[in-house]
Amino acid sequence: MSTAPHLPRWADLCHTDFAALDPARTVALLPVAAIEQHGPHLPLSVDTDLVEGVLAAAAPHLGSGSGSGWPVYVLPTQAVGYSSEHQRFAGTLTLQPETVLRLWLELGESVARAGVRKLLLFNGHGGHHGLLEVAARELRGRCNLLVYGASWYNLPLLDAQGQDLLLRLSPEERRFGIHAGQLETALMLALRPQLVRMEQARHFRSSSEERAQRWPILGNGRSAKLGWQMQDYHPEGAVGNAAAADAALGHELLQAAGRSLAELLRELCQLPLTTLVQDNRAP
């Protein structure tokens, strides 16, 4: 049995434990991820493995158990999400967006019924961004929950000296390597190297690179967003220089994400519930 630190699990609590939780400090964390293709060199489990790997990396920085002073409880990982952009690749599991949204909302409502007032939707899949925003706003309105959405890859990824680890990737990779490229491949080499097929890894060049060179507005990555399927970017289902990945960078990225998540959770534990204004009507 592993003795590595881990964040306390919601499922390990008894129903009688909830009466003793401080609603002003307690945070429920819902990991949301995906089971979807990641090119010819990575397994379907990447997004789920990475979000759970970051949770494990955060645990030593928060202490373990409810006596750590940072009352954070991890809900069951939602490993299947909205991955319709990958559905033409075998093995991808996807739900309809309304199904995913309803699932997250009903879980959030269950958290609120338990008397917990703070929720972090912790994401590992780029295709969830829009749903995260909708879910957070809906749960605030329906349940008076203080809800944040965060994706591990948008956290500050700093080394021990405070330098941005993403600067070790080329500018091209930072912009275009959005799926199964150097970043995700490096992390999987650190977490589950036995599942990485480096002999299949290469530089999968995105079709968006050509658009960026040719179309000043359509291609600048900010002004207009393409409604895309993964094959539109590359027929093999990956974009980025996967061949440049190494496990050493992956380990550094993992530890950096863990440190940032721990700090985010400490801040959320301390954030006052009065952040939510209950009545803005004029007297």
Side-chain angles (χ1 to χ4, degrees):
M1 188 176 203
S2 174
T3 58
H6 61 86
L7 295 176
R9 298 194 316 159
W10 179 280
D12 290 341
L13 295 169
C14 292
H15 77 87
T16 53
D17 294 330
F18 287 90
L21 297 181
D22 181 358
R25 290 179 57 81
T26 303
V27 175
L29 187 156
L30 179 63
V32 296
I35 301 295
E36 63 183 33
Q37 72 82 31
H38 276 75
H41 62 296
L42 293 178
L44 303 173
S45 62
V46 168
D47 290 346
T48 300
D49 290 338
L50 297 189
V51 82
E52 293 185 339
V54 174
L55 288 172
H61 302 286
L62 286 168
S64 59
S66 59
S68 67
W70 303 108
V72 175
Y73 297 93
V74 179
L75 294 151
T77 299
Q78 303 303 297
V80 179
Y82 177 50
S83 299
S84 68
E85 69 272 27
H86 300 283
Q87 63 189 342
R88 294 194 185 180
F89 293 87
T92 295
L93 302 179
T94 187
L95 302 173
Q96 292 298 314
E98 58 269 25
T99 305
V100 175
L101 185 58
R102 180 173 179 178
L103 176 62
W104 296 354
L105 292 178
E106 292 187 6
L107 289 170
E109 289 167 349
S110 295
V111 167
R113 282 195 297 272
V116 175
R117 294 285 310 283
K118 296 179 179 180
L119 174 66
L120 177 65
L121 303 171
F122 189 57
N123 176 50
H125 169 46
H128 283 158
H129 286 176
L131 290 177
L132 282 173
E133 294 183 6
V134 172
R137 290 198 298 271
E138 283 293 304
L139 286 169
R140 189 271 181 260
R142 296 184 187 188
C143 304
N144 200 30
L145 278 174
L146 200 166
V147 188
Y148 273 83
S151 301
W152 71 260
Y153 43 84
N154 286 333
L155 294 171
L157 299 176
L158 308 178
D159 66 16
Q161 290 72 46
Q163 300 300 308
D164 188 350
L165 286 167
L166 295 183
L167 294 179
R168 299 191 192 176
L169 279 58
S170 69
E172 174 189 59
E173 185 67 12
R174 292 198 300 272
R175 178 170 176 188
F176 299 110
I178 64 168
H179 190 72
Q182 185 178 358
L183 185 70
E184 289 187 319
T185 304
L187 280 158
M188 288 300 289
L189 285 170
L191 277 171
R192 303 191 72 188
Q194 72 278 13
L195 296 182
V196 181
R197 304 177 185 181
M198 282 304 289
E199 72 278 5
Q200 299 292 328
R202 62 185 181 86
H203 191 168
F204 303 95
R205 293 192 178 276
S206 174
S207 65
S208 61
E209 293 184 48
E210 179 184 354
R211 287 190 293 279
Q213 295 173 359
R214 185 175 182 185
W215 309 104
I217 296 179
L218 281 179
N220 67 22
R222 298 182 303 276
S223 300
K225 297 292 184 181
L226 175 67
W228 54 280
Q229 294 272 295
M230 194 63 221
Q231 66 271 16
D232 299 331
Y233 285 131
H234 196 284
E236 291 190 76
V239 289
N241 191 2
D246 65 83
L249 176 60
H251 282 291
E252 286 196 79
L253 287 164
L254 188 62
Q255 293 308 309
R259 288 191 295 268
S260 284
L261 174 58
E263 181 57 31
L264 170 62
L265 289 168
R266 285 192 290 266
E267 292 178 4
L268 192 50
C269 285
Q270 297 173 82
L271 187 68
L273 290 174
T274 53
T275 299
L276 303 182
V277 177
Q278 300 312 318
D279 190 346
N280 65 342
R281 291 175 295 181

